[in-house]
Amino acid sequence: TRIKREHKAVAKESTVIKMNTTGWIMAFVTGMADASSRFTMKSGNTHEFLLSGIGLLLGIPIYATYFILSNDPSPVQPMFWVATLLHVPCYMAFIVFTVLSHRVNSMLKTMPYSSLTPALLLVTSPLMGGGTPTAVGLVGVLIIVIGLYIVNVEGIGMGFTAPLKAMVDDKGAQYMFIAVFIVSFSSNLDKTAIVNGPISLYLLVDHGLAGTGLLLLIPLYRTLGLFKKTADMDEYAGIHNDLYKKESYKIFFFFALFNVATSILHNIGLKIMQHVPYFISGKRVGTLLFALVMGIALSHWEKITGIKESERKYADETKHLPWKIGGTIVVIFGTVVVILYGGV
């Protein structure tokens, strides 16, 4: 009997290790997919309502197929609907501010502000049922936050407080901070929804409502006269024109593709991993590493293909590389601490 109990304990521990390993892999890969969707946001000038709305709705057939094929027997609890309906407006706001942020500044200048997400989750997750990290795990998350912050320091001359000062007058930083604040709550709503119902149903309902809501904002803004209109620019006319541009649909397609991948992996990973702050930390690490590599690659590609300097979208990605690489090393160290000693 004792031997059987020991075998069961070993089997249970092995299963936990496998699940945690899968969870971390999911987190890193989700971060890479997320970075890809963010690069797509930056690749064009399509209005954020149109890009986000159509991009989300293009994913609906995939979610519907996922729902049918998965045949998930998970019962739908009342909290599933509460969390989903609360998440929809949060997601709409998050995706709009994220698009605005990345279009104002370079990816590696705006993404490090997302380092605040795991730090804020250390406060919101225990309060919202997203899991409470261990003391060592908390230290590991804070090391990751510090590393991501260092990535955004623009050289010794600018000072270590440069990223914080930038938030005063940098629109990109301000938009990203708003997005980060929203995610510190919405990630816990993700967790609540998927433990109370099927992931496939959650994505189908959540993204369907959010995409529809974003498109409905266009006529609402026009009715209220909230779109910018000057002698040189008509925001609403620009949206109308984008609907008939072939290039717009290429951006819609890739944004939808990467967003679907991000969303499915994100929610599966959240369901596997017990603590939301750990998963989001891993996701941010994946995003940072992919953004660093892709930013450098795209910047060199623009130079090689002879794109005019004034027309380059990724020229800033190769600036201040010593700080970015140094911060990345700190981030990796913090991740190792969490994985080995965080009690994941």
Side-chain angles (χ1 to χ4, degrees):
T1 305
R2 182 175 62 82
I3 294 173
K4 285 183 179 180
R5 284 201 302 267
E6 288 177 355
H7 279 309
K8 285 182 180 179
V10 170
K12 184 177 180 181
E13 185 178 352
S14 176
T15 301
V16 170
I17 291 172
K18 286 179 181 178
M19 287 184 67
N20 286 333
T21 302
T22 304
W24 279 106
I25 293 172
M26 283 284 189
F28 296 143
V29 175
T30 300
M32 294 179 187
D34 185 41
S36 298
S37 71
R38 292 168 188 261
F39 273 109
T40 306
M41 294 174 186
K42 190 179 176 69
S43 64
N45 296 311
T46 308
H47 194 277
E48 53 274 12
F49 292 168
L50 189 64
L51 171 64
S52 305
I54 292 180
L56 290 179
L57 292 181
L58 283 176
I60 295 302
I62 299 175
Y63 297 138
T65 304
Y66 177 30
F67 177 68
I68 294 168
L69 296 180
S70 64
N71 196 25
D72 193 332
S74 304
V76 179
Q77 305 293 341
M79 279 305 297
F80 171 87
W81 299 109
V82 173
T84 301
L85 293 177
L86 288 174
H87 186 269
V88 169
C90 291
Y91 190 49
M92 289 170 60
F94 160 74
I95 204 165
V96 166
F97 281 113
T98 301
V99 173
L100 290 171
S101 174
H102 291 314
R103 286 183 174 174
V104 171
N105 273 329
S106 72
M107 280 282 292
L108 282 173
K109 196 171 182 179
T110 51
M111 276 308 300
Y113 287 102
S114 65
S115 66
L116 294 170
T117 310
L120 291 173
L121 281 167
L122 292 174
V123 178
T124 61
S125 285
L127 297 175
M128 298 178 67
T132 305
T134 63
V136 179
L138 186 148
V139 171
V141 171
L142 291 178
I143 291 173
I144 292 171
V145 170
I146 291 169
L148 288 166
Y149 181 86
I150 291 173
V151 171
N152 203 41
V153 176
E154 299 185 350
I156 297 173
M158 295 293 291
F160 195 71
T161 59
L164 292 177
K165 291 177 181 177
M167 290 184 65
V168 177
D169 52 12
D170 188 322
K171 282 288 185 185
Q174 292 165 6
Y175 290 144
M176 183 54 73
F177 181 76
I178 294 171
V180 162
F181 185 76
I182 293 168
V183 171
S184 69
F185 291 95
S186 65
S187 293
N188 293 302
L189 293 173
D190 280 330
K191 180 75 171 179
T192 301
I194 60 180
V195 298
N196 286 283
I199 292 174
S200 53
L201 179 61
Y202 173 58
L203 292 173
L204 186 61
V205 176
D206 184 62
H207 286 212
L209 291 176
T212 303
L214 285 162
L215 291 181
L216 288 175
L217 285 177
I218 296 174
L220 177 63
Y221 262 55
R222 188 190 185 194
T223 302
L224 298 176
L226 297 176
F227 283 122
K228 296 175 184 176
K229 187 174 183 179
T230 64
D232 301 319
M233 186 268 292
D234 186 332
E235 202 171 13
Y236 178 75
I239 292 174
H240 187 268
N241 291 335
D242 283 334
L243 277 172
Y244 298 96
K245 287 182 182 177
K246 188 183 295 184
E247 310 87 68
S248 297
Y249 286 89
K250 182 180 177 182
I251 296 172
F252 294 153
F253 172 78
F254 282 107
F255 174 74
L257 181 66
F258 291 127
N259 190 61
V260 165
T262 300
S263 301
I264 292 176
L265 292 169
H266 170 89
N267 285 285
I268 292 175
L270 268 182
K271 195 157 190 172
I272 293 172
M273 196 170 282
Q274 185 179 358
H275 303 299
V276 176
Y278 289 169
F279 181 81
I280 298 301
S281 296
K283 181 179 176 181
R284 292 291 174 256
V285 173
T287 302
L288 171 65
L289 293 175
F290 191 81
L292 180 64
V293 173
M294 284 298 294
I296 294 171
L298 288 170
S299 178
H300 285 295
W301 177 79
E302 287 183 330
K303 290 180 182 178
I304 293 170
T305 53
I307 296 175
K308 293 180 182 178
E309 192 168 347
S310 59
E311 297 175 359
R312 292 176 188 170
K313 295 178 180 289
Y314 303 100
D316 291 342
E317 305 297 339
T318 53
K319 292 181 179 179
H320 315 295
L321 276 180
W323 286 93
K324 291 169 182 174
I325 294 171
T328 301
I329 293 170
V330 175
V331 163
I332 293 171
F333 174 71
T335 306
V336 172
V337 170
V338 175
I339 293 173
L340 296 180
Y341 307 107
V344 295

